[in-house]
């Protein structure tokens, strides 16, 4: 099977033009077919404030009412997505910017109201991602750049977590490609000491996960990241990497961040 690299970038890359430029250089240099997935929550929040729309969050998750949906659609699918696409074109990558509605690539279901009404937020399942649509784009030489906007197939756009999209796309595409998923954020990877970048754990196998949680090496927000990563691996993804965006070039040398494997 041909190798496919799927990379998700966070706000710490998007919010800084120099960081984004450096990352996109490294991303363009990666060999073989690739997909880029992004959010952009900080810019969406700033835009909301400038328009007099209160950004509502619960446990770090955005409540997406109709006004907020309009903002995130403008910011994610418009401002951020097209800026990334334009930069990639300038660097020689034939990028195409997409929402989940384009080509029916990602169909989501509106999150049901339970204790909290998250509004127009989309959840994904195993049938959400159109493998054929993405495969056709990749085989035509395009680099898909997916933002965090999906749709329900009945005209409604939905705000969907970019980490979740990255995992769902990687799992779906693993039926066709040898799929490697890379989460780029501000840390060098999983650290034994969160205050010391020199303590990167270079590889974690699924059997290591529980012991590392027990001894406190994996804690806080890293627990759900790794849980989701191993879920993806259990569903067919070859490997998942977690590391610092400005060190992406090291992935070809095997020295990038933390590699999670079966």
């Amino acid at each position: 099977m041909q190798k496919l690299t799927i990379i998700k970038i966070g706000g710490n890359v998007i919010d800084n033009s120099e960081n984004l430029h450096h990352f996109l250089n490294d991303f363009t240099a990666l060999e073989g077919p690739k997909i880029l997935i992004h959010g952009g929550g900080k810019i969406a929040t700033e835009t909301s404030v400038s328009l007099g729309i209160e950004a509502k969050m619960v446990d770090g998750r955005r409540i997406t009412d109709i006004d907020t949906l309009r903002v995130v659609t403008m910011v994610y699918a418009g401002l951020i997505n097209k800026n990334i696409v334009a930069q990639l074109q300038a660097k020689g990558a034939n990028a195409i910017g997409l929402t989940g509605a384009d080509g029916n690539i990602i169909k989501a279901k509106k999150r049901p109201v339970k204790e909290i009404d998250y509004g127009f937020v989309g959840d994904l399942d195993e049938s959400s991602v159109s493998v054929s649509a993405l495969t056709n784009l990749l085989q035509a030489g395009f680099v898909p750049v997916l933002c965090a906007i999906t749709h329900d197939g009945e005209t409604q756009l939905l705000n969907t977590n970019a980490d979740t999209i990255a995992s769902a796309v990687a799992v779906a595409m693993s039926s066709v490609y040898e799929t490697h998923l890379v989460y780029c954020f501000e840390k060098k990877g999983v650290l034994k000491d969160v205050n010391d970048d020199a303590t990167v754990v270079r590889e974690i196998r699924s059997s290591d996960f529980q012991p590392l949680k027990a001894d406190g090496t994996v804690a806080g927000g890293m627990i759900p990241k790794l849980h989701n990563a191993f879920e993806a691996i259990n569903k067919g993804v070859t490997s998942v990497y977690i590391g610092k965006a400005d060190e992406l070039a090291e992935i070809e040398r095997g020295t990038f961040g933390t590699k999670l494997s079966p």
Side-chain angles (χ1 to χ4, degrees):
M1 298 174 85
Q2 188 177 15
K3 179 181 177 181
L4 170 66
T5 304
I6 297 171
I7 298 184
K8 187 266 175 177
I9 52 172
N12 60 303
V13 185
I14 296 167
D15 299 339
N16 184 299
S17 58
E18 185 176 338
N19 288 349
L20 182 59
H21 171 75
H22 181 80
F23 166 82
L24 292 176
N25 278 337
D26 291 341
F27 176 78
T28 301
L30 291 175
E31 295 182 1
K34 46 189 176 272
I35 297 172
L36 182 60
I37 296 161
H38 69 85
K42 182 178 178 181
I43 296 173
T45 298
E46 291 172 350
T47 304
S48 292
V49 171
S50 72
L51 294 172
I53 299 168
E54 180 185 359
K56 301 171 186 175
M57 311 288 286
V58 176
D59 296 330
R61 295 181 178 180
R62 188 180 301 274
I63 303 296
T64 308
D65 58 19
I66 190 61
D67 288 333
T68 301
L69 179 66
R70 289 168 178 156
V71 171
V72 296
T73 301
M74 288 188 294
V75 172
Y76 298 165
L79 178 64
I80 295 174
N81 189 268
K82 300 315 171 191
N83 177 48
I84 290 173
V85 168
Q87 290 197 50
L88 285 172
Q89 291 291 355
K91 299 175 190 301
N94 193 15
I96 182 168
L98 302 160
T99 69
D102 295 298
N104 198 29
I105 284 175
I106 304 173
K107 188 185 290 186
K109 295 178 181 178
K110 186 176 181 293
R111 183 172 298 168
V113 177
K114 295 181 180 177
E115 295 83 5
I116 299 169
D117 183 357
Y118 284 100
F120 295 98
V121 168
D123 291 327
L124 308 180
D125 59 32
E126 65 280 354
S127 64
S128 293
V129 177
S130 174
V131 174
S132 60
L134 283 172
T135 300
N136 287 340
L137 288 169
L138 292 168
Q139 290 179 346
F142 288 106
V143 177
V145 180
L146 303 173
C147 72
I149 299 296
T150 59
H151 77 133
D152 68 355
E154 298 178 359
T155 78
Q156 183 61 60
L157 295 174
L158 296 166
N159 183 17
T160 300
N161 181 274
D163 283 349
T164 303
I165 290 175
S167 178
V169 169
V171 169
M173 297 304 289
S174 67
S175 64
V176 180
Y177 291 88
E178 177 193 306
T179 305
H180 299 266
L181 174 59
V182 184
Y183 287 104
C184 288
F185 72 145
E186 70 277 4
K187 296 287 187 180
K188 284 181 173 284
V190 178
L191 306 176
K192 291 181 180 178
D193 179 351
V194 294
N195 298 311
D196 185 357
D197 280 346
T199 63
V200 176
V201 181
R202 287 298 174 192
E203 185 169 5
I204 300 175
R205 296 188 178 277
S206 56
S207 58
D208 301 327
F209 185 33
Q210 293 301 327
L212 288 172
K213 278 203 301 183
D215 69 17
T217 299
V218 176
M222 191 58 73
I223 292 175
K225 279 185 184 294
L226 265 62
H227 175 77
N228 290 336
F230 283 118
E231 280 284 301
I233 288 170
N234 290 336
K235 293 178 180 177
V237 176
T238 301
S239 67
V240 180
Y241 292 83
I242 300 175
K244 198 168 186 177
D246 62 7
E247 297 180 349
L248 181 62
E250 296 182 16
I251 202 164
E252 302 286 4
R253 298 189 288 270
T255 55
F256 174 80
T258 301
K259 179 182 180 182
L260 311 179
S261 53

